[in-house]
Amino acid sequence: MNKSVGIKDVAAAAGVSVTTVSHVLNDVVYARVGAETRERVHEAARRLGYGPNRLAQALRTQRSGMIGFISEEIATTPHAGRIILGAEETARARGYRIMIINSTSTSSQDSRENDVADLLDRQVDGILYATMYHRKLVVPKNLVGLPAVLVDSEDISHTVSSVIPDEIAGARSAVQTLIDAGHTRIGMLNNTDDVPATHSRLKAFKDTLADAGLPYHEELVQSEASEVPGGHQAALRLLKTPSRPTAVFCYNDRMAMGAYRAAGELGLRIPDDISIVGFDNQQLIAENIYPALTTVALPHYEMGAWATENLIDAIEGKTDLQLFAAHPTLLPCPLVLRDSVASPKHQDASSRAAPGSPTHANT
Amino acid sequence: MNKSVGIKDVAAAAGVSVTTVSHVLNDVVYARVGAETRERVHEAARRLGYGPNRLAQALRTQRSGMIGFISEEIATTPHAGRIILGAEETARARGYRIMIINSTSTSSQDSRENDVADLLDRQVDGILYATMYHRKLVVPKNLVGLPAVLVDSEDISHTVSSVIPDEIAGARSAVQTLIDAGHTRIGMLNNTDDVPATHSRLKAFKDTLADAGLPYHEELVQSEASEVPGGHQAALRLLKTPSRPTAVFCYNDRMAMGAYRAAGELGLRIPDDISIVGFDNQQLIAENIYPALTTVALPHYEMGAWATENLIDAIEGKTDLQLFAAHPTLLPCPLVLRDSVASPKHQDASSRAAPGSPTHANT
DNA sequence: GGACGTGGGAGACCAATGAACAAGTCGGTT
DNA sequence: AACCGACTTGTTCATTGGTCTCCCACGTCC
């Protein structure tokens, strides 16, 4: 096409050397250039529509202004988009761009190392490594020593810094909002996978109950696969216990969706007969089921932003990421209030709605 | 850190010149290098873990191997992830990488041009421009003439090639599946926005009815905002008409979700009393509502892949994108069969389920 | 006439590619 | 015996688009 304009075109147009053009356009402090020459250069650059070739620049300065972003399963979860967005926006604000590589949670350690090497060949200044849910992983070994931050996961050996959601605090606030509404018999629908969230959310559940002086019974926690059918099954078991809880804290929004169905089948209205809170704030679900679900948001955007901000600080020598490596940084999980929580009806806990009685369907 | 190895390190290790290393590593056809030397070079490169500096390479060859991806609202729709994934995977398979820039549908024409210029400064070989839903747009003027493909939108002036979903065929197959199940009174819940999909899906609805010799009545189409509440309202109107349809084609899955709620409230079971088909195949909804929703999938992954494949072909001179510019390329929208469609019960159409009768909740 | 200040340029360098050229070998020719 | 290609095997050098470290020319001042 139209041969793109280079610095030498600007130099010729302004009648100066390329060195001078570089000096004025980069505002080099030690450069001594007359005001009039300066103006000529700027004018010529503007007129020709000059933009520096970032590759040539990168080659010389050893700084590409590019950040590699390795993400597992970019597409399987809407959350990934939020992380990318957080990373992209803060990177851009600081003059960096994001180069994306998609990986899978099942890919071999070798292939992970290749992804890193690949990015390194392209001279990225740093690497963001994101997983699709919070977990502990062994990082590719060529990642250590580099400016790098893990997003939504922890390095099992604690050599790479990382940022994760504060599950405990988030789960506590979810349970607390139930307690604050006056509930004293609260159940939980938990996940069966051995991931950090399963344990932290359960621990937060127990601790919050204990702090409030509320009793905890084994049968109040029912576990199943963390999908809608699992939530449905677990909720059915939970809601059929002799002393039915008046509120349920769900491992995630999908299980909560299953709980909605179970409640509907048992003729229980939400939130009148039973309050429900979820986790994850998957908008498509939480906003759209009826009544809208009160849940805990995962700070995906914020994690992407935090990781990028600190990665760039490290790249620019303003921070030492090693300082963060020992412990993951925790970001708050804010409670999102919607319509699925209410005060329990003050009547004898044994008075149950007759199954099959007229009721609104919960969608 | 460890000074990364360059071609000259390999050259030194193998006892040859850098040119020779370049020649053997790139398998340059006209290079005459002895087999033994070749082996020495390969061995040295392997031993040192050499990988070429892609930036230097790009500078010299005027080909960066990078594709710019401008996406509107990366995070607002899960669909964007599928497009990115399709683009990333096919790009990677061909040795290219994706550089992402997030834009917004509200950003000014100037800012769009800046995004393109930005990518150009970084020497991308081509540009993918994706929107979050199918629409017509005026492209940044510095995009024309470049290797570029629009994903999920059309250039209003038809100068840039693009790929979009085949809405018509997709909608037809949705309606047809209802007809094939034996339905003769079919309603539609449509969107109120003036976007291409609103018109194509309606047209496909009417045409398919006509082709099957089925009558079309105005009151069979109810329009509202294309979200759950809109679907709920529109479905309520539609299902309360004197001659209630036995099947409903919904503009999208969110409206279908609203229809589920309306059906539940009216004591209508899906699919026994009413069959429903959606559009979009938003997995979080379609797979999780009860019963699972039969719907039409939008080929996001495929559009990303097609666009990238053809963009790279154009970059490599194997294709002329101008050939595609006049008409957008249509990709099929496959029907995804789940559980929300059944044959209508063969009884008098006036026998209605009594509202409020015992029923499963539809979640 | 040396020191100093001002305005600007030459040329190396970053890590590669690629066109042109050079050195060594060998068989054949005159 | 000397020379002449032809072939093999590598190397030299310019180039890509910038940045950056000197360096130089010219005035001026004391």
Side-chain angles (χ1 to χ4, degrees), chain A residues 65-71 79-101 126-130 149-152 163 299-312 315 331, chain B residues 74-75 100-102:
Chain A
M66 293 192 315
I67 290 177
F69 185 103
I70 300 180
S71 171
H79 296 333
R82 301 285 309 163
I83 300 183
I84 296 178
L85 188 63
E88 199 275 343
E89 289 190 345
T90 84
R92 200 126 75 102
R94 297 189 61 172
Y96 289 72
R97 294 300 174 274
I98 299 282
M99 205 159 88
I100 285 213
I101 291 237
I127 293 181
L128 254 21
Y129 197 107
V149 180
L150 265 34
V151 186
D152 209 6
V163 55
H300 286 108
Y301 181 94
E302 292 74 13
M303 292 192 292
W306 187 96
T308 308
E309 203 73 70
N310 285 83
L311 180 65
I312 294 178
I315 289 168
L331 256 32
Chain B
I74 283 177
I100 284 213
I101 291 236
N102 182 58

Short mmCIF file of all heavy atoms in Angstrom, two decimals, chain A residues 65-71 79-101 126-130 149-152 163 299-312 315 331, chain B residues 74-75 100-102:
data_model
loop_
_atom_site.label_atom_id
_atom_site.label_comp_id
_atom_site.label_asym_id
_atom_site.label_seq_id
_atom_site.Cartn_x
_atom_site.Cartn_y
_atom_site.Cartn_z
N GLY A 65 6.72 -3.16 25.06
CA GLY A 65 5.43 -2.57 25.38
C GLY A 65 4.31 -3.58 25.16
O GLY A 65 3.15 -3.23 25.00
N MET A 66 4.67 -4.85 25.17
CA MET A 66 3.65 -5.89 25.01
C MET A 66 3.67 -6.82 26.22
O MET A 66 4.72 -7.16 26.74
CB MET A 66 3.89 -6.68 23.74
CG MET A 66 3.68 -5.84 22.50
SD MET A 66 3.63 -6.84 21.00
CE MET A 66 5.00 -7.93 21.27
N ILE A 67 2.48 -7.20 26.61
CA ILE A 67 2.34 -8.11 27.73
C ILE A 67 1.68 -9.38 27.22
O ILE A 67 0.68 -9.32 26.52
CB ILE A 67 1.48 -7.47 28.83
CG1 ILE A 67 2.27 -6.33 29.48
CG2 ILE A 67 1.08 -8.50 29.87
CD1 ILE A 67 1.50 -5.58 30.53
N GLY A 68 2.27 -10.50 27.57
CA GLY A 68 1.70 -11.78 27.15
C GLY A 68 0.62 -12.19 28.13
O GLY A 68 0.77 -12.03 29.33
N PHE A 69 -0.48 -12.66 27.60
CA PHE A 69 -1.59 -13.09 28.45
C PHE A 69 -1.93 -14.53 28.11
O PHE A 69 -2.47 -14.79 27.05
CB PHE A 69 -2.78 -12.17 28.20
CG PHE A 69 -3.96 -12.43 29.12
CD1 PHE A 69 -4.20 -11.58 30.18
CD2 PHE A 69 -4.82 -13.50 28.91
CE1 PHE A 69 -5.29 -11.80 31.03
CE2 PHE A 69 -5.90 -13.73 29.75
CZ PHE A 69 -6.14 -12.87 30.82
N ILE A 70 -1.58 -15.42 29.01
CA ILE A 70 -1.91 -16.82 28.77
C ILE A 70 -3.15 -17.13 29.57
O ILE A 70 -3.19 -16.94 30.79
CB ILE A 70 -0.77 -17.75 29.22
CG1 ILE A 70 0.51 -17.40 28.45
CG2 ILE A 70 -1.15 -19.22 29.00
CD1 ILE A 70 1.70 -18.26 28.83
N SER A 71 -4.19 -17.57 28.89
CA SER A 71 -5.43 -17.86 29.59
C SER A 71 -5.90 -19.26 29.28
O SER A 71 -5.88 -19.70 28.14
CB SER A 71 -6.51 -16.87 29.16
OG SER A 71 -7.76 -17.27 29.66
N HIS A 79 -16.36 -15.39 32.76
CA HIS A 79 -15.46 -14.68 33.66
C HIS A 79 -14.17 -14.27 32.97
O HIS A 79 -13.63 -13.21 33.23
CB HIS A 79 -15.10 -15.58 34.84
CG HIS A 79 -16.28 -15.93 35.68
ND1 HIS A 79 -17.39 -15.11 35.77
CD2 HIS A 79 -16.53 -16.99 36.48
CE1 HIS A 79 -18.26 -15.68 36.59
NE2 HIS A 79 -17.78 -16.81 37.03
N ALA A 80 -13.67 -15.13 32.11
CA ALA A 80 -12.41 -14.85 31.44
C ALA A 80 -12.44 -13.49 30.77
O ALA A 80 -11.48 -12.74 30.80
CB ALA A 80 -12.09 -15.93 30.42
N GLY A 81 -13.57 -13.19 30.18
CA GLY A 81 -13.71 -11.90 29.50
C GLY A 81 -13.46 -10.74 30.44
O GLY A 81 -12.83 -9.76 30.07
N ARG A 82 -13.94 -10.85 31.65
CA ARG A 82 -13.75 -9.78 32.63
C ARG A 82 -12.28 -9.62 32.99
O ARG A 82 -11.79 -8.52 33.17
CB ARG A 82 -14.55 -10.04 33.91
CG ARG A 82 -16.04 -10.18 33.71
CD ARG A 82 -16.75 -8.89 33.46
NE ARG A 82 -16.44 -7.87 34.46
CZ ARG A 82 -16.69 -6.58 34.30
NH1 ARG A 82 -17.23 -6.16 33.17
NH2 ARG A 82 -16.40 -5.72 35.24
N ILE A 83 -11.59 -10.73 33.11
CA ILE A 83 -10.16 -10.65 33.44
C ILE A 83 -9.42 -9.98 32.29
O ILE A 83 -8.62 -9.07 32.49
CB ILE A 83 -9.55 -12.06 33.67
CG1 ILE A 83 -10.26 -12.75 34.84
CG2 ILE A 83 -8.06 -11.94 33.95
CD1 ILE A 83 -9.68 -14.12 35.17
N ILE A 84 -9.72 -10.42 31.10
CA ILE A 84 -9.07 -9.85 29.92
C ILE A 84 -9.34 -8.36 29.86
O ILE A 84 -8.45 -7.55 29.62
CB ILE A 84 -9.57 -10.52 28.63
CG1 ILE A 84 -9.18 -12.00 28.62
CG2 ILE A 84 -9.01 -9.81 27.41
CD1 ILE A 84 -9.68 -12.75 27.40
N LEU A 85 -10.60 -8.01 30.09
CA LEU A 85 -10.96 -6.60 30.02
C LEU A 85 -10.18 -5.77 31.04
O LEU A 85 -9.64 -4.72 30.72
CB LEU A 85 -12.47 -6.43 30.24
CG LEU A 85 -12.98 -5.01 30.00
CD1 LEU A 85 -12.78 -4.61 28.55
CD2 LEU A 85 -14.46 -4.90 30.38
N GLY A 86 -10.12 -6.28 32.26
CA GLY A 86 -9.38 -5.56 33.30
C GLY A 86 -7.92 -5.40 32.91
O GLY A 86 -7.32 -4.34 33.09
N ALA A 87 -7.36 -6.46 32.35
CA ALA A 87 -5.96 -6.41 31.94
C ALA A 87 -5.78 -5.46 30.76
O ALA A 87 -4.89 -4.61 30.76
CB ALA A 87 -5.47 -7.81 31.57
N GLU A 88 -6.64 -5.59 29.79
CA GLU A 88 -6.50 -4.78 28.58
C GLU A 88 -6.62 -3.30 28.90
O GLU A 88 -5.81 -2.49 28.46
CB GLU A 88 -7.56 -5.19 27.55
CG GLU A 88 -7.24 -4.76 26.13
CD GLU A 88 -7.67 -3.35 25.79
OE1 GLU A 88 -8.51 -2.77 26.53
OE2 GLU A 88 -7.19 -2.79 24.81
N GLU A 89 -7.64 -2.96 29.67
CA GLU A 89 -7.84 -1.53 29.94
C GLU A 89 -6.70 -0.92 30.74
O GLU A 89 -6.25 0.18 30.43
CB GLU A 89 -9.18 -1.30 30.64
CG GLU A 89 -10.36 -1.52 29.69
CD GLU A 89 -11.70 -1.07 30.27
OE1 GLU A 89 -11.78 -0.85 31.49
OE2 GLU A 89 -12.66 -0.94 29.48
N THR A 90 -6.21 -1.63 31.75
CA THR A 90 -5.13 -0.98 32.50
C THR A 90 -3.83 -1.00 31.70
O THR A 90 -3.05 -0.07 31.77
CB THR A 90 -4.94 -1.56 33.93
OG1 THR A 90 -4.13 -2.71 33.85
CG2 THR A 90 -6.23 -1.88 34.59
N ALA A 91 -3.64 -2.06 30.93
CA ALA A 91 -2.43 -2.10 30.10
C ALA A 91 -2.44 -0.92 29.13
O ALA A 91 -1.45 -0.21 28.99
CB ALA A 91 -2.35 -3.41 29.33
N ARG A 92 -3.56 -0.73 28.51
CA ARG A 92 -3.65 0.32 27.50
C ARG A 92 -3.43 1.70 28.10
O ARG A 92 -2.78 2.56 27.52
CB ARG A 92 -4.98 0.27 26.79
CG ARG A 92 -4.92 0.97 25.45
CD ARG A 92 -5.39 0.09 24.36
NE ARG A 92 -6.83 -0.03 24.43
CZ ARG A 92 -7.65 0.64 23.61
NH1 ARG A 92 -7.15 1.44 22.70
NH2 ARG A 92 -8.92 0.47 23.70
N ALA A 93 -3.99 1.88 29.30
CA ALA A 93 -3.84 3.17 29.95
C ALA A 93 -2.36 3.47 30.20
O ALA A 93 -1.96 4.62 30.29
CB ALA A 93 -4.61 3.18 31.26
N ARG A 94 -1.57 2.43 30.30
CA ARG A 94 -0.16 2.66 30.55
C ARG A 94 0.71 2.45 29.31
O ARG A 94 1.94 2.32 29.41
CB ARG A 94 0.30 1.78 31.71
CG ARG A 94 -0.43 2.16 33.00
CD ARG A 94 0.10 1.49 34.22
NE ARG A 94 1.51 1.83 34.48
CZ ARG A 94 2.14 1.48 35.58
NH1 ARG A 94 1.50 0.82 36.52
NH2 ARG A 94 3.41 1.78 35.74
N GLY A 95 0.08 2.40 28.18
CA GLY A 95 0.85 2.31 26.93
C GLY A 95 1.27 0.91 26.53
O GLY A 95 2.09 0.75 25.64
N TYR A 96 0.73 -0.08 27.16
CA TYR A 96 1.06 -1.46 26.81
C TYR A 96 -0.09 -2.10 26.04
O TYR A 96 -1.22 -1.64 26.12
CB TYR A 96 1.35 -2.28 28.07
CG TYR A 96 2.65 -1.92 28.74
CD1 TYR A 96 2.78 -0.71 29.44
CD2 TYR A 96 3.75 -2.76 28.68
CE1 TYR A 96 3.99 -0.37 30.05
CE2 TYR A 96 4.95 -2.44 29.30
CZ TYR A 96 5.07 -1.23 29.99
OH TYR A 96 6.24 -0.91 30.60
N ARG A 97 0.22 -3.17 25.33
CA ARG A 97 -0.83 -3.92 24.65
C ARG A 97 -0.75 -5.37 25.08
O ARG A 97 0.29 -5.85 25.52
CB ARG A 97 -0.65 -3.83 23.13
CG ARG A 97 -0.86 -2.44 22.56
CD ARG A 97 -2.24 -1.89 22.82
NE ARG A 97 -2.37 -0.50 22.41
CZ ARG A 97 -2.05 0.53 23.18
NH1 ARG A 97 -1.59 0.34 24.40
NH2 ARG A 97 -2.17 1.75 22.73
N ILE A 98 -1.87 -6.05 24.90
CA ILE A 98 -1.97 -7.44 25.34
C ILE A 98 -1.90 -8.42 24.17
O ILE A 98 -2.61 -8.26 23.18
CB ILE A 98 -3.33 -7.65 26.04
CG1 ILE A 98 -3.45 -6.75 27.27
CG2 ILE A 98 -3.53 -9.11 26.40
CD1 ILE A 98 -2.72 -7.25 28.47
N MET A 99 -1.05 -9.41 24.31
CA MET A 99 -1.00 -10.46 23.31
C MET A 99 -1.55 -11.72 23.95
O MET A 99 -1.06 -12.17 24.99
CB MET A 99 0.44 -10.69 22.85
CG MET A 99 0.52 -11.26 21.49
SD MET A 99 2.14 -10.93 20.80
CE MET A 99 2.95 -12.35 21.43
N ILE A 100 -2.57 -12.28 23.33
CA ILE A 100 -3.29 -13.40 23.94
C ILE A 100 -2.87 -14.77 23.43
O ILE A 100 -2.67 -14.97 22.24
CB ILE A 100 -4.80 -13.24 23.68
CG1 ILE A 100 -5.34 -12.15 24.58
CG2 ILE A 100 -5.52 -14.55 23.88
CD1 ILE A 100 -6.74 -12.39 25.02
N ILE A 101 -2.74 -15.68 24.37
CA ILE A 101 -2.51 -17.07 24.00
C ILE A 101 -3.52 -17.90 24.78
O ILE A 101 -3.69 -17.72 25.98
CB ILE A 101 -1.09 -17.52 24.42
CG1 ILE A 101 -0.06 -16.81 23.56
CG2 ILE A 101 -0.99 -19.03 24.33
CD1 ILE A 101 0.86 -17.72 22.83
N GLY A 126 6.42 -8.85 29.93
CA GLY A 126 5.98 -9.56 31.13
C GLY A 126 4.85 -10.49 30.77
O GLY A 126 4.30 -10.42 29.66
N ILE A 127 4.49 -11.36 31.70
CA ILE A 127 3.46 -12.35 31.40
C ILE A 127 2.38 -12.43 32.49
O ILE A 127 2.68 -12.44 33.68
CB ILE A 127 4.09 -13.74 31.18
CG1 ILE A 127 4.92 -13.70 29.90
CG2 ILE A 127 3.03 -14.82 31.12
CD1 ILE A 127 5.58 -15.02 29.54
N LEU A 128 1.16 -12.48 32.02
CA LEU A 128 0.00 -12.67 32.91
C LEU A 128 -0.47 -14.09 32.64
O LEU A 128 -0.63 -14.49 31.49
CB LEU A 128 -1.10 -11.70 32.48
CG LEU A 128 -1.44 -10.45 33.28
CD1 LEU A 128 -0.33 -9.99 34.19
CD2 LEU A 128 -1.89 -9.33 32.36
N TYR A 129 -0.69 -14.82 33.70
CA TYR A 129 -1.10 -16.21 33.52
C TYR A 129 -2.41 -16.41 34.26
O TYR A 129 -2.45 -16.39 35.48
CB TYR A 129 0.00 -17.12 34.09
CG TYR A 129 -0.09 -18.56 33.61
CD1 TYR A 129 0.82 -19.05 32.69
CD2 TYR A 129 -1.07 -19.42 34.09
CE1 TYR A 129 0.76 -20.36 32.25
CE2 TYR A 129 -1.15 -20.73 33.65
CZ TYR A 129 -0.23 -21.19 32.73
OH TYR A 129 -0.30 -22.50 32.28
N ALA A 130 -3.47 -16.59 33.49
CA ALA A 130 -4.79 -16.68 34.12
C ALA A 130 -5.42 -18.05 34.00
O ALA A 130 -5.31 -18.72 32.97
CB ALA A 130 -5.72 -15.65 33.47
N VAL A 149 2.65 -12.48 36.70
CA VAL A 149 1.65 -12.53 37.77
C VAL A 149 0.59 -13.57 37.40
O VAL A 149 0.16 -13.63 36.24
CB VAL A 149 0.96 -11.17 37.96
CG1 VAL A 149 -0.07 -11.25 39.08
CG2 VAL A 149 1.98 -10.07 38.28
N LEU A 150 0.23 -14.35 38.38
CA LEU A 150 -0.83 -15.35 38.19
C LEU A 150 -2.17 -14.71 38.54
O LEU A 150 -2.27 -14.02 39.55
CB LEU A 150 -0.60 -16.52 39.15
CG LEU A 150 0.15 -17.76 38.67
CD1 LEU A 150 1.22 -17.41 37.67
CD2 LEU A 150 0.74 -18.50 39.86
N VAL A 151 -3.16 -14.95 37.71
CA VAL A 151 -4.46 -14.37 37.98
C VAL A 151 -5.46 -15.48 38.31
O VAL A 151 -5.65 -16.39 37.50
CB VAL A 151 -4.98 -13.57 36.77
CG1 VAL A 151 -6.26 -12.84 37.12
CG2 VAL A 151 -3.92 -12.59 36.30
N ASP A 152 -6.06 -15.41 39.45
CA ASP A 152 -7.05 -16.39 39.89
C ASP A 152 -6.46 -17.76 40.16
O ASP A 152 -7.16 -18.77 40.06
CB ASP A 152 -8.19 -16.51 38.87
CG ASP A 152 -9.50 -16.92 39.54
OD1 ASP A 152 -9.53 -16.98 40.78
OD2 ASP A 152 -10.48 -17.17 38.82
N VAL A 163 -2.72 -13.13 42.32
CA VAL A 163 -3.84 -12.42 42.91
C VAL A 163 -5.08 -13.30 42.81
O VAL A 163 -5.34 -13.90 41.76
CB VAL A 163 -4.05 -11.05 42.20
CG1 VAL A 163 -4.22 -11.23 40.71
CG2 VAL A 163 -5.23 -10.32 42.80
N PRO A 299 -14.13 -10.88 41.83
CA PRO A 299 -13.52 -9.66 41.28
C PRO A 299 -12.64 -9.92 40.07
O PRO A 299 -11.44 -9.65 40.10
CB PRO A 299 -12.70 -9.14 42.47
CG PRO A 299 -12.28 -10.39 43.18
CD PRO A 299 -13.41 -11.37 43.00
N HIS A 300 -13.23 -10.44 39.01
CA HIS A 300 -12.41 -10.78 37.85
C HIS A 300 -11.78 -9.56 37.19
O HIS A 300 -10.59 -9.55 36.91
CB HIS A 300 -13.25 -11.56 36.84
CG HIS A 300 -13.50 -12.96 37.28
ND1 HIS A 300 -14.71 -13.41 37.72
CD2 HIS A 300 -12.65 -14.01 37.40
CE1 HIS A 300 -14.61 -14.68 38.06
NE2 HIS A 300 -13.38 -15.07 37.89
N TYR A 301 -12.59 -8.57 36.96
CA TYR A 301 -12.03 -7.36 36.34
C TYR A 301 -10.91 -6.82 37.21
O TYR A 301 -9.82 -6.48 36.72
CB TYR A 301 -13.12 -6.30 36.17
CG TYR A 301 -12.62 -5.04 35.53
CD1 TYR A 301 -12.73 -4.85 34.16
CD2 TYR A 301 -12.03 -4.03 36.28
CE1 TYR A 301 -12.25 -3.70 33.56
CE2 TYR A 301 -11.54 -2.88 35.70
CZ TYR A 301 -11.66 -2.72 34.33
OH TYR A 301 -11.16 -1.58 33.74
N GLU A 302 -11.18 -6.75 38.49
CA GLU A 302 -10.21 -6.18 39.42
C GLU A 302 -8.92 -7.00 39.48
O GLU A 302 -7.83 -6.44 39.60
CB GLU A 302 -10.83 -6.08 40.82
CG GLU A 302 -11.95 -5.06 40.93
CD GLU A 302 -13.26 -5.50 40.28
OE1 GLU A 302 -13.39 -6.71 39.93
OE2 GLU A 302 -14.16 -4.66 40.10
N MET A 303 -9.06 -8.32 39.42
CA MET A 303 -7.85 -9.14 39.45
C MET A 303 -7.01 -8.89 38.19
O MET A 303 -5.79 -8.76 38.26
CB MET A 303 -8.21 -10.63 39.55
CG MET A 303 -8.83 -11.00 40.89
SD MET A 303 -8.93 -12.79 41.15
CE MET A 303 -10.16 -13.26 39.93
N GLY A 304 -7.69 -8.81 37.06
CA GLY A 304 -6.98 -8.53 35.81
C GLY A 304 -6.27 -7.19 35.90
O GLY A 304 -5.12 -7.04 35.48
N ALA A 305 -6.96 -6.22 36.46
CA ALA A 305 -6.40 -4.87 36.56
C ALA A 305 -5.24 -4.84 37.56
O ALA A 305 -4.18 -4.30 37.27
CB ALA A 305 -7.48 -3.89 36.99
N TRP A 306 -5.44 -5.45 38.71
CA TRP A 306 -4.39 -5.45 39.73
C TRP A 306 -3.14 -6.13 39.19
O TRP A 306 -2.03 -5.62 39.31
CB TRP A 306 -4.87 -6.19 40.99
CG TRP A 306 -3.91 -6.10 42.14
CD1 TRP A 306 -3.97 -5.22 43.17
CD2 TRP A 306 -2.75 -6.94 42.37
NE1 TRP A 306 -2.92 -5.45 44.02
CE2 TRP A 306 -2.15 -6.48 43.56
CE3 TRP A 306 -2.17 -8.00 41.68
CZ2 TRP A 306 -1.00 -7.06 44.09
CZ3 TRP A 306 -1.02 -8.59 42.20
CH2 TRP A 306 -0.44 -8.12 43.39
N ALA A 307 -3.34 -7.28 38.58
CA ALA A 307 -2.21 -8.04 38.05
C ALA A 307 -1.43 -7.22 37.04
O ALA A 307 -0.20 -7.17 37.06
CB ALA A 307 -2.70 -9.34 37.42
N THR A 308 -2.15 -6.56 36.17
CA THR A 308 -1.50 -5.78 35.13
C THR A 308 -0.77 -4.58 35.70
O THR A 308 0.37 -4.29 35.34
CB THR A 308 -2.55 -5.33 34.10
OG1 THR A 308 -3.29 -6.47 33.67
CG2 THR A 308 -1.89 -4.67 32.92
N GLU A 309 -1.44 -3.90 36.58
CA GLU A 309 -0.84 -2.72 37.21
C GLU A 309 0.49 -3.09 37.88
O GLU A 309 1.51 -2.43 37.68
CB GLU A 309 -1.82 -2.16 38.25
CG GLU A 309 -1.64 -0.71 38.59
CD GLU A 309 -2.13 0.21 37.47
OE1 GLU A 309 -3.35 0.31 37.23
OE2 GLU A 309 -1.26 0.84 36.85
N ASN A 310 0.45 -4.15 38.64
CA ASN A 310 1.66 -4.54 39.35
C ASN A 310 2.72 -5.15 38.45
O ASN A 310 3.91 -4.98 38.69
CB ASN A 310 1.31 -5.50 40.49
CG ASN A 310 0.69 -4.75 41.65
OD1 ASN A 310 -0.51 -4.46 41.65
ND2 ASN A 310 1.49 -4.36 42.62
N LEU A 311 2.25 -5.82 37.41
CA LEU A 311 3.21 -6.38 36.46
C LEU A 311 3.98 -5.24 35.78
O LEU A 311 5.20 -5.28 35.67
CB LEU A 311 2.47 -7.20 35.40
CG LEU A 311 3.36 -7.84 34.33
CD1 LEU A 311 4.28 -8.89 34.95
CD2 LEU A 311 2.52 -8.49 33.24
N ILE A 312 3.24 -4.23 35.38
CA ILE A 312 3.89 -3.10 34.71
C ILE A 312 4.80 -2.35 35.68
O ILE A 312 5.90 -1.95 35.31
CB ILE A 312 2.83 -2.17 34.08
CG1 ILE A 312 2.10 -2.91 32.95
CG2 ILE A 312 3.48 -0.91 33.54
CD1 ILE A 312 0.99 -2.14 32.28
N ILE A 315 7.87 -4.30 35.69
CA ILE A 315 8.61 -4.13 34.45
C ILE A 315 9.37 -2.81 34.47
O ILE A 315 10.51 -2.72 34.05
CB ILE A 315 7.63 -4.13 33.24
CG1 ILE A 315 7.07 -5.53 33.03
CG2 ILE A 315 8.32 -3.62 31.99
CD1 ILE A 315 5.90 -5.58 32.06
N LEU A 331 -8.30 -10.10 46.82
CA LEU A 331 -9.16 -8.98 46.43
C LEU A 331 -10.58 -9.28 46.91
O LEU A 331 -11.03 -10.43 46.84
CB LEU A 331 -9.13 -8.82 44.91
CG LEU A 331 -8.31 -7.67 44.33
CD1 LEU A 331 -7.09 -7.35 45.18
CD2 LEU A 331 -7.89 -7.96 42.91
N ILE B 74 -15.55 -6.64 24.90
CA ILE B 74 -15.06 -8.00 25.07
C ILE B 74 -15.83 -8.76 26.13
O ILE B 74 -16.14 -9.93 25.98
CB ILE B 74 -13.58 -7.97 25.53
CG1 ILE B 74 -12.68 -7.65 24.36
CG2 ILE B 74 -13.17 -9.30 26.15
CD1 ILE B 74 -11.23 -7.54 24.74
N ALA B 75 -16.16 -8.07 27.20
CA ALA B 75 -16.64 -8.80 28.36
C ALA B 75 -18.13 -8.88 28.54
O ALA B 75 -18.63 -9.67 29.33
CB ALA B 75 -16.02 -8.21 29.61
N ILE B 100 -4.88 -7.98 21.21
CA ILE B 100 -6.25 -7.54 21.48
C ILE B 100 -6.38 -6.09 21.86
O ILE B 100 -5.58 -5.56 22.63
CB ILE B 100 -6.84 -8.39 22.63
CG1 ILE B 100 -7.19 -9.76 22.10
CG2 ILE B 100 -8.04 -7.71 23.24
CD1 ILE B 100 -8.38 -10.38 22.74
N ILE B 101 -7.38 -5.47 21.32
CA ILE B 101 -7.72 -4.11 21.72
C ILE B 101 -9.21 -4.10 22.00
O ILE B 101 -10.00 -4.59 21.20
CB ILE B 101 -7.43 -3.11 20.58
CG1 ILE B 101 -5.94 -2.98 20.38
CG2 ILE B 101 -8.08 -1.77 20.87
CD1 ILE B 101 -5.40 -1.60 20.47
N ASN B 102 -9.58 -3.58 23.14
CA ASN B 102 -10.99 -3.51 23.47
C ASN B 102 -11.53 -2.13 23.09
O ASN B 102 -10.91 -1.11 23.34
CB ASN B 102 -11.20 -3.72 24.97
CG ASN B 102 -12.66 -3.70 25.32
OD1 ASN B 102 -13.44 -4.49 24.81
ND2 ASN B 102 -13.05 -2.77 26.18
#
